[in-house]
Amino acid sequence: MKFKNVAFIFLSLGLFSCTNDSSDNEEAIDIISPEDPGDSAATCTDVANYVFKEKDGLVKIEFENAVFDSNWKLKEDDNAASGKGYMVWEGDQSLSQPGNGLATYAIAINEAGTYRFVWRSSVKTGTSGSDHNDTWLRFNDVSNFFAQKGESIVYPADSGKTPNPEGASKDGWFKIYRSGSDLNFKWQASTFDNNSHDIFVTFDQAGTYTMEISARSSGHAIDEFVLFNESISLADATADTAVQSAITCNN
Ligand SMILES: [Ca+2]
């Protein structure tokens, strides 16, 4: 009974604190999160207002948690996909022109630094691992968006930085591909044709940044993605047990 009473006191203090915050700031922040359901009466219901919160050097987001063009289709036919399912582009291919089928994610970074980007994707059209295997990605408001393999560092074409990768790149966008004959969902994000470079983003200060994706290959299916800093391994960041980022509302 004593423990229950103590818990009740803390809960009460927490609610009192939230109430004060709300009255001090008209833009009260609503929270939904698997680990912190927050006030059940104030959840973020409009995906257009989602802001994903980095915690302990990790951002982990279900790809389907964004506003999409109607040619991006939500599919629930693959049990290997997490969350509500995965998105697959069923519109025209846009192999040389990024910006079609655009979707954005607002990401709140608390711990500045360089984060590696990886997504979990699959090939849903054809039987080749080198076709229908890529989508465009851009971070246009960060201090650095680059790809690296050993000593080799490349920047998106038209970003004002060089060198640029071999293969498609334009207007600050990288073509992000997966490779290999295994077409099922797996964690991989590479750019630079036939010379797979890993993808990195540097956030030089805390703040909310915009990640953009746009359609390139039809049949490329994406389930989720992560951004993680040097404090976390790729294995830990992409583990099923890694917690999805908490979501707040931007209004
Ligand atoms: Ca998903």
Side-chain angles (χ1 to χ4, degrees):
M1 286 299 288
K2 287 181 178 176
F3 283 113
K4 285 184 179 176
N5 288 339
V6 170
F8 178 75
I9 290 167
F10 276 115
L11 183 62
S12 300
L13 288 170
L15 289 171
F16 183 71
S17 174
C18 281
T19 303
N20 271 355
D21 288 344
S22 297
S23 59
D24 289 339
N25 179 356
E26 290 185 358
E27 291 188 346
I29 295 172
D30 302 333
I31 296 173
I32 61 170
S33 157
E35 61 177 356
D36 178 11
D39 181 353
S40 60
T43 55
C44 187
T45 56
D46 187 349
V47 68
N49 295 326
Y50 280 10
V51 179
F52 302 92
K53 297 187 70 175
E54 173 266 322
K55 183 181 180 186
D56 298 333
L58 175 66
V59 176
K60 189 176 189 191
I61 300 174
E62 293 290 348
F63 187 79
E64 62 270 22
N65 279 340
V67 177
F68 287 96
D69 180 293
S70 60
N71 284 317
W72 278 107
K73 304 295 186 186
L74 175 65
K75 303 281 187 177
E76 302 171 55
D77 59 6
D78 191 331
N79 289 335
S82 61
K84 292 190 285 288
Y86 64 89
M87 303 300 298
V88 61
W89 177 249
E90 295 188 348
D92 292 338
Q93 301 213 106
S94 195
L95 301 183
S96 58
Q97 182 58 56
N100 299 309
L102 185 72
T104 62
Y105 303 82
I107 300 173
I109 297 294
N110 181 51
E111 189 176 332
T114 295
Y115 287 66
R116 184 177 169 189
F117 172 90
V118 185
W119 59 27
R120 185 168 186 264
S121 76
S122 168
V123 174
K124 293 293 186 183
T125 296
T127 56
S128 167
S130 56
D131 294 317
H132 307 287
N133 65 330
D134 52 48
T135 294
W136 299 102
L137 175 72
R138 182 168 73 172
F139 288 84
N140 212 28
D141 58 1
V142 300
S143 52
N144 206 7
F145 176 38
F146 62 99
Q148 183 166 8
K149 180 181 183 181
E151 298 294 305
S152 171
I153 297 178
V154 295
Y155 305 92
D158 307 318
S159 65
K161 298 177 181 177
T162 57
N164 307 133
E166 293 295 325
S169 181
K170 187 177 181 181
D171 296 340
W173 296 81
F174 276 139
K175 173 187 80 174
I176 306 295
Y177 67 83
R178 70 189 297 292
S179 56
S181 57
D182 49 337
L183 305 185
N184 294 330
F185 282 105
K186 70 173 178 180
W187 290 98
Q188 184 191 350
S190 304
T191 200
F192 204 128
D193 288 1
N194 303 308
N195 188 10
S196 176
H197 283 51
D198 296 334
I199 312 302
F200 295 91
V201 187
T202 300
F203 306 100
D204 63 357
Q205 58 187 354
T208 300
Y209 297 87
T210 301
M211 179 181 123
E212 302 169 279
I213 65 93
S214 72
R216 186 168 191 275
S217 294
S218 59
H220 186 224
I222 307 173
D223 175 24
E224 56 185 328
F225 62 89
V226 293
L227 289 154
F228 59 100
N229 68 17
E230 61 187 5
S231 70
I232 304 176
S233 68
L234 172 63
D236 286 344
T238 59
D240 289 345
T241 51
V243 178
Q244 294 284 327
S245 294
I247 298 168
T248 61
C249 285
N250 67 4
N251 61 13

